[in-house]
Amino acid sequence: MSEQISLGDYNARKIELLPILTAQQLVLLPLYFFIPIWITLLNLIIVSAVYLTDVRQKFSVHPRIKNIITLLAVAGILFSFHKLTGRDAGVALIATMYGLKIMEIKAQRDVYILMLLGFFILLAGFLFDQSPWIAVYQFIPVAAILNALISIHSLSRSAESCAGTFKPAGSSHSILHYSFKATIHQLLKYLALSIPLMIILFVFFPRLAGPIWRMPGGASATSGISDTMSPGDISSLQLFDKIAFRVKFNGDTPNGANLYWRTLVLDEFDGLTWSREKIKKEQGIVTFVQSNKTSGANDNYDKASGFYRYDISLEKTSQRWLTFLDRPIDIPKRARLFSDYSVQTNHRLLDRTRYKAESQVGLRLDGQLSLSQREKNTQLPEGGNPHSIAWAKQQRQLYPTDKAFIEALLLKINQQEYFYTLSPPIMQRDTVDSFWFDEQKGFCEHYAGALVFLARAANVPARVVIGYQGAEKNPLSDYWIVRYANAHAWTEIWFENEGWVRVDPTAAIAPHRIEKQLQQDYSQRDSLFGDFGFDAVELDDIGWLKQFEYWMDQANTGWNEWILDYNQDSQRKLFDGLGLKNLTGQQVAILMIGMLAAFLTLISVRWMRDKQSLDPVQASLQLLLKKLSKHGIELQDNQGVNALIGDIQQKQHHKPTIETRSITQLIRILKLYSFLRYQRQEITQKQQNYFRQQVKSLRIRSYKNDRGHIRPWLN
């Protein structure tokens, strides 16, 4: 028979650090992508040192060294962020302190603190990323934390000295063996109980119009299109495949020739950069009727001609400009529509923004142009690009109308050696002269800027419009995707009796002079250079990797729509669908509390019923206690099995009343029960049968003294 495990050895057993180290690093893993790399390296070094000192016992670390490391880490954070507050600095400090906390693990209390802190630190990852994938990942560190907490109570490490002691007949494995699978099983059981509570609280808890708080100090660099345009700005955006926004059309879908997404208009040029004229709040704003549709000269728009209704989900830009299908006629209530049909909000877009809109692509803009408007849109900086100015004035004399002159410029782009490339040569001075006459290579901003400059030089009103062109349909769903790769610049030229007309000089480039990489990488923009045909991609025509990408985006879109964007309006619509339209906020709160109380009552009743009905192992224990009571051995209400073992061993040592063989068998059965109660995995039927068999086979024989009298059990 193998050596038994004493109660003292059980209580004095060493903490198993490997599950604790694993759980800690899984908690910190999402944060490693957002904090300085030196903090990640420091945490990994600390974990390795703890593993080598406490687990492998290779060397020891002096307490003073731990204090020095902590001070240096705090100094490093101050050096990196110049503060200890705010999202980035605060999370970096928390991650560092949590990483250093592992050096203080000496007792079970330290493990409790470290693991329970892990549940709160998991939330820090959502400050940087709210995607569904990080939410799914959270289940892994949660399971690891539970695994670590169970490990400090488990008898598994005692099994190293008694493997085989509690081995059923015919079994080749000790029933002391446990696995991580058991922890997962328990986690799923608890999750099944928590899901109804989560759903009730998520659906019915009152929603605010905005976030309760916003973490200060987070980096909020501008994403996507900026409010200026210099050579190279949009071409650098084209290198990113990140999604700019998603759009769902409610009805007809425009073809490729009309998929121009207007963001803002640039009408000032300083010789290098196009920018937007600063407009006072009282100027340049289109008036609205109650429905928020534009009024004035454009009241009689024709819905049957190029009218589209759609929903946009715009990713964070940290700017104030909204994007619409050119040209918008209905915008959100908390936005302003300027006379150039760009739309601005009153606050920066620091979160994903969803809004409904209507556009009419053939809407006529400014049939008549005032003197001040004409002057603004024909103005050029003095002293720059003299060759282009002289050439444009000379060419304008050759054509009877402004429109004919612009068409001649487009024909020149199409028939002469003008190339479309992401890597044009550097043009530092007189950029229009250099591009138009010398290099003749550029991207959309070069062509749009040059065309507007030449038109203004010939006294033709013109301006630059920047936004996006094209889209790709997600064949797995009903929405379209517009990426930064779709960023584009085009022009608007004002013609007499026609108003502002969209003219895209990039579309005039001959297809064989387009950089091959652009043709391959941005096939969703083929309509820009071809016959403007536009067809949705078929699922059978794309590879499985692209299909997986569409599926991932569809899942992310659903998460954004149903979870992250669940606000007051969404909650009210859901209540309307559930027939709760007439309930007040107070009544909804009472309903939520009632549902929670009903569910908790149901769980409590079920738990009490299960508690009253003994499981097979507990029933076998009752049989064992019944046998012991006949010999004066009682398990007190405030006493555990391990304490009973200690009492039996102590009393048997001083005044033996039961034969040693019976005591040995009894203690072995009690330890087996203790293990079955606290093992990680679920008790199998074989283990239940084995325990019951051991209880039934127990024969307690009293010890006789030399006079033949039976010595009673002394309480």
Side-chain angles (χ1 to χ4, degrees), residues 13 19-20 23 108 111-116 119 142-154 157 183 680:
R13 69 199 192 282
I20 300 170
Q108 288 187 0
V111 179
Y112 294 146
I113 294 175
L114 185 71
M115 293 296 98
L116 294 178
F119 286 116
V142 166
I145 291 173
L146 294 178
N147 177 66
L149 291 174
I150 292 174
S151 70
I152 64 175
H153 294 288
S154 174
R157 279 170 278 107
T183 303
R680 297 189 188 184

Side-chain angles (χ1 to χ4, degrees), residues 464-501:
V464 175
V465 184
I466 58 176
Y468 302 87
Q469 196 280 327
E472 58 178 306
K473 176 72 162 32
N474 186 333
L476 302 178
S477 189
D478 57 352
Y479 64 88
W480 299 75
I481 300 171
V482 179
R483 306 178 185 274
Y484 289 155
N486 294 94
H488 190 51
W490 62 94
T491 74
E492 283 184 340
I493 312 293
W494 189 86
F495 297 127
E496 190 73 32
N497 300 323
E498 293 187 43
W500 290 104
V501 176

